Amino acid sequence: SETTYGGRPMYIEQNKFDDSPYEEKVGAVIKYCEAENAWIFMHDNIRKDRNTKDSSCPWLLRSPVTESYDVMEVDSTWSIWTGIINTGATFQTTCNGCNSEADCNYHGTCADGECICALDEEDGYRLYYGMHCEFPRPCPQLIGDAGDIWNLELVDSRTTWRAYGRGVYSYISGGNVSVGPDDAIGLMYSGSRWFGTVHPGWKDKSRSFWLQYSSQYHAFWDQMYEGERTLYVSAPTSRADFIAVDFFTVGREGGKYGPLGELLPAQVPVGSGYFECAFNWTQSQSVPVADTLRDQQR
């Protein structure tokens, strides 16, 4: 979402489901800060120091000094706050509009500056997702090396539930997973990793509850990585699929292991990836995955 601040555009973080504004959460902001003579990334609820509470520019990322009115023209090497100021962070921006089908990766059409992603002529599902139709539609069912089965969640008969442009999966059965009978386990992308997280008591939540949750989901504020609730953590990835993406179970915690704790490889050998697609969309016509998922959401 774009508005203005100090005569320059200001960009506000949108939700991770359909890219509309958050209703309950406060989104992060990218704006120009005259006090710093730079573009900054900030969040109203995060401060580097209590003494800067009233500052209009409590930046977490800061561009080099510039007078540019266009953040996309600014050098991509920014400073980042990690407890101290570090330089050399890479900050990349992409315009969410389009001028031609090339901007939609030839996976759709460009209409009024917006990519309209192509649909499958047979089943009516979108073939691609994302602002630029960059993400292929997700696998309908995953199977892990331990035999655990995860189904793609559906919002309705023609719409997949997604986060950060990627599909969202729910645990069905198998593997070395042990949770309460009323608990739900979701496999969701967080912006850089996949997290397999337990949601206590959520298994029988209504479809309207899940729709509201998905529209307000944010990996950081919803604490998708939290102690015993997190069963799986992937290696960092920007892929939309699971090809060669390693997963880890979470072991001991402590400073020795870093912020995610001890990460124990779930696949052998390391580097081979944990999940594979159980079947593709053509094969799924003979497998009642969609019906199963819709039953779960009622």
Side-chain angles (χ1 to χ4, degrees):
S1 175
E2 179 184 332
T3 181
T4 59
Y5 178 84
R8 288 175 169 85
M10 180 172 72
Y11 302 92
I12 304 172
E13 182 182 17
Q14 305 295 280
N15 78 45
K16 312 308 174 188
F17 174 60
D18 59 7
D19 304 310
S20 61
Y22 277 113
E23 296 175 357
E24 299 173 1
K25 290 185 171 65
V26 177
V29 171
I30 300 171
K31 68 178 184 179
Y32 187 81
C33 175
E34 293 184 350
E36 299 284 348
N37 293 319
W39 285 85
I40 66 167
F41 170 91
M42 59 161 284
H43 195 286
D44 279 339
N45 295 335
I46 302 177
R47 294 290 190 274
K48 298 190 293 296
D49 187 274
R50 293 178 181 177
N51 295 327
T52 63
K53 183 176 181 180
D54 297 326
S55 169
S56 61
C57 301
W59 61 270
L60 303 172
L61 284 161
R62 180 182 62 186
S63 79
V65 172
T66 180
E67 295 182 355
S68 176
Y69 278 75
D70 187 349
V71 68
M72 296 184 66
E73 295 178 350
V74 178
D75 189 298
S76 62
T77 303
W78 290 34
S79 299
I80 183 172
W81 176 259
T82 60
I84 59 174
I85 298 174
N86 286 288
T87 58
T90 300
F91 186 82
Q92 296 179 322
T93 56
T94 302
C95 181
N96 64 354
C98 63
N99 294 310
S100 68
E101 290 187 2
D103 294 329
C104 306
N105 291 289
Y106 296 105
H107 294 156
T109 59
C110 179
D112 297 324
E114 179 181 356
C115 288
I116 308 300
C117 301
L119 302 177
D120 188 299
E121 294 182 357
E122 294 186 2
D123 61 31
Y125 282 94
R126 290 171 61 176
L127 292 170
Y128 297 91
Y129 290 90
M131 285 289 184
H132 300 282
C133 305
E134 67 269 37
F135 302 125
R137 63 181 178 181
C139 171
Q141 188 178 84
L142 301 173
I143 183 167
D145 284 357
D148 42 320
I149 297 172
W150 303 71
N151 278 354
L152 178 66
E153 286 285 359
L154 301 179
V155 174
D156 55 42
S157 62
R158 289 294 177 266
T159 307
T160 60
W161 184 17
R162 57 197 181 279
Y164 297 86
R166 281 84 168 169
V168 173
Y169 294 84
S170 60
Y171 170 74
I172 302 302
S173 63
N176 301 315
V177 180
S178 178
V179 295
D182 298 325
D183 299 340
I185 310 176
L187 186 63
M188 302 177 70
Y189 191 68
S190 67
S192 62
R193 297 175 184 262
W194 292 86
F195 289 150
T197 303
V198 177
H199 300 279
W202 283 22
K203 185 173 183 179
D204 295 323
K205 293 290 187 180
S206 67
R207 179 175 176 272
S208 60
F209 172 88
W210 285 108
L211 282 173
Q212 179 65 15
Y213 175 76
S214 63
S215 69
Q216 300 303 303
Y217 164 72
H218 191 286
F220 177 77
W221 297 112
D222 286 325
Q223 299 179 314
M224 291 305 292
Y225 186 84
E226 182 183 342
E228 296 180 356
R229 289 182 55 219
T230 304
L231 302 180
Y232 292 104
V233 179
S234 81
T237 180
S238 59
R239 297 187 64 101
D241 57 33
F242 293 85
I243 295 175
V245 177
D246 281 359
F247 275 74
F248 305 86
T249 57
V250 182
R252 293 167 290 183
E253 298 181 353
K256 174 182 177 180
Y257 305 107
L260 297 180
E262 182 184 26
L263 298 181
L264 306 172
Q267 60 283 304
V268 178
V270 172
S272 61
Y274 181 73
F275 286 110
E276 63 178 322
C277 189
F279 48 80
N280 60 37
W281 283 85
T282 300
Q283 294 170 319
S284 72
Q285 302 307 308
S286 61
V287 180
V289 173
D291 291 338
T292 298
L293 295 176
R294 282 196 295 273
D295 288 343
Q296 291 173 345
Q297 292 175 332
R298 291 192 179 110

